[in-house]
Amino acid sequence: MNVAMENLEALTDIPAFETKVDNEEWIHTTDKLEVMQINVGRLCNLACKHCHVEAGPNRTEIMGKDVMEACIKVCEEQKPGTIDITGGAPEMNPDFEWLVEHACQVCDHVIVRTNLAILLEEKYQHLPEFYAKHKIEIVCSLPYYRAKEMDRVRGEGTFDKAIQVIKILNDLGYGKDPELVLNMVYNPAGAYFPPVQAAMEREYKEKLGNDFGIVFNSLFTITNNPTGRFGAFLKRSGNLESYMTKLYQSFNGATLPGLMCRFQISVGYDGRLYDCDFNQAAELPILTGETIFDWVGKPFKSRKICLGKHCYGCTAGQGSSCGGATE
Ligand code: SF4
Ligand code: SF4
């Protein structure tokens, strides 16, 4: 368990998450697997301040082909509507293209989460065309629509690189052709909540359109979850208790039916299974302790979700998930 999580349950006085749930159904998965999220490793060309998986250039955790093959087998059997490939920078996994191609053979909707900057590195410059050829939905992280704010979170020059790549994607038809979907993710840069999603999307579209001639489909606003590097930052800066209290006080019961963990599984680089990427960051595996290898050839069964105080990050205000607001 990482540092922030070890302390989260004990260090904050707010009540346990389960005390706020008045219907058991909301803390169990549905009967069908809708989304398989595959985290192919922690290796990343960047090391962003808010990164909940604490990815970076020195991380060595990389998903092997045996785990990928098991994921594809389970998808063949369970037929989830979406395969969502993430990291780290997923492109840096040596078997990334194999996974994408096989994912497309067993699923009609494949998402790749990218930090954009990686696509300018020589080794990966062919990938925008590869994505377009396979009609991959791209979810790119763009912490802000101005260089100053984004570079503060991601590092010097990352905004300009992102804009350059989005222009390449737009030229390929991304954000214009209905089959080439380009979505963006906004995370707050500190210990505060994201603004209302629809309003922020309008603002992004206006600014990026006017300043750079860029188009995209939707903006997802995501609340920073108090796990990983962001959790460690909260603790270090003395903001953990106040951030957790804010999350708790903003609890919105209407977000419970849409919790992403009710519909998905998150596969770790070593094949361990988690209810979501945040639980993966917090090293909280699914309660049955099964791995992806255990799921091959087995029918899907609803399970109770592994919860903790970090779950308040998904139920504050408009709610939050990998697909943005949930309410
Ligand atoms: S937030 Fe994304 S781009 Fe930044 S270090 Fe983490 S995985 Fe890499
Ligand atoms: S943190 Fe994960 S397990 Fe907890 S509510 Fe959010 S999606 Fe579900």
Side-chain angles (χ1 to χ4, degrees):
M1 193 175 280
N2 64 37
V3 180
M5 285 312 296
E6 227 177 287
N7 295 289
L8 196 52
E9 300 301 309
L11 271 186
T12 62
D13 285 337
I14 59 170
F17 183 75
E18 279 190 62
T19 60
K20 298 292 279 182
V21 181
D22 54 5
N23 183 344
E24 276 285 302
E25 195 183 338
W26 307 143
I27 51 172
H28 284 80
T29 65
T30 53
D31 290 332
K32 163 121 180 60
L33 179 65
E34 301 289 348
V35 179
M36 178 181 283
Q37 191 171 70
I38 306 176
N39 190 319
V40 298
R42 303 274 164 98
L43 182 63
C44 189
N45 52 323
L46 305 177
C48 306
K49 287 187 187 153
H50 62 245
C51 184
H52 69 273
V53 291
E54 300 182 73
N58 299 322
R59 298 298 297 253
T60 51
E61 303 92 331
I62 298 273
M63 182 177 280
K65 202 124 165 233
D66 57 335
V67 179
M68 292 180 178
E69 279 166 356
C71 290
I72 296 298
K73 193 87 194 82
V74 170
C75 288
E76 244 172 6
E77 294 165 1
Q78 303 292 339
K79 307 204 178 330
T82 301
I83 297 179
D84 182 344
I85 301 173
T86 186
E91 295 94 339
M92 294 176 85
N93 182 302
D95 296 310
F96 169 71
E97 289 174 53
W98 182 94
L99 178 64
V100 171
E101 278 168 350
H102 284 76
C104 290
Q105 285 167 18
V106 296
C107 182
D108 291 336
H109 183 214
V110 177
I111 297 175
V112 170
R113 293 179 188 266
T114 182
N115 66 38
L116 298 170
I118 187 76
L119 299 173
L120 284 185
E121 293 192 10
E122 202 180 340
K123 197 169 164 195
Y124 308 104
Q125 283 174 2
H126 63 288
L127 286 176
E129 282 190 28
F130 172 82
Y131 290 149
K133 179 177 152 208
H134 292 284
K135 304 203 177 350
I136 301 302
E137 177 180 321
I138 296 179
V139 177
C140 66
S141 172
L142 195 79
Y144 209 59
Y145 50 71
R146 271 194 308 249
K148 193 170 131 212
E149 289 85 349
M150 174 152 156
D151 286 0
R152 204 180 298 144
V153 175
R154 297 232 125 147
E156 201 56 37
T158 50
F159 180 78
D160 289 345
K161 286 184 183 170
I163 296 299
Q164 219 177 310
V165 175
I166 297 170
K167 284 183 175 171
I168 294 171
L169 293 171
N170 280 169
D171 286 346
L172 287 166
Y174 270 102
K176 299 172 180 169
D177 179 336
E179 290 198 306
L180 297 177
V181 175
L182 174 63
N183 293 325
M184 282 184 191
V185 170
Y186 164 87
N187 289 73
Y192 54 91
F193 294 170
V196 175
Q197 183 166 277
M200 196 61 171
E201 180 180 292
R202 273 196 301 278
E203 206 171 312
Y204 258 65
K205 285 194 166 166
E206 198 186 305
K207 300 279 183 194
L208 292 174
N210 290 344
D211 294 351
F212 307 103
I214 279 172
V215 292
F216 67 96
N217 295 91
S218 301
L219 180 79
F220 304 149
T221 56
I222 299 187
T223 304
N224 281 328
N225 194 280
T227 48
R229 204 170 279 146
F230 183 67
F233 154 76
L234 288 175
K235 190 164 167 276
R236 222 176 30 247
S237 60
N239 281 311
L240 185 62
E241 183 69 38
S242 63
Y243 189 73
M244 292 308 296
T245 303
K246 226 164 30 170
L247 288 179
Y248 172 71
Q249 287 171 342
S250 311
F251 175 82
N252 174 3
T255 61
L256 290 170
L259 288 178
M260 63 179 171
C261 48
R262 300 195 61 235
F263 311 96
Q264 71 167 31
I265 193 73
S266 166
V267 189
Y269 77 96
D270 55 1
R272 274 189 291 174
L273 297 177
Y274 303 86
D275 294 304
C276 70
D277 213 38
F278 299 129
N279 280 12
Q280 190 170 146
E283 295 175 28
L284 297 170
I286 58 171
L287 294 172
T288 61
E290 294 160 300
T291 68
I292 192 70
F293 301 105
D294 299 317
W295 276 24
V296 176
K298 282 216 181 137
F300 182 82
K301 277 215 307 241
S302 169
R303 63 182 189 282
K304 187 165 189 262
I305 297 159
C306 178
L307 304 164
K309 289 182 182 176
H310 63 294
C311 294
Y312 283 113
C314 298
T315 53
Q318 60 189 334
S320 181
S321 73
C322 289
T326 51
E327 206 209 4

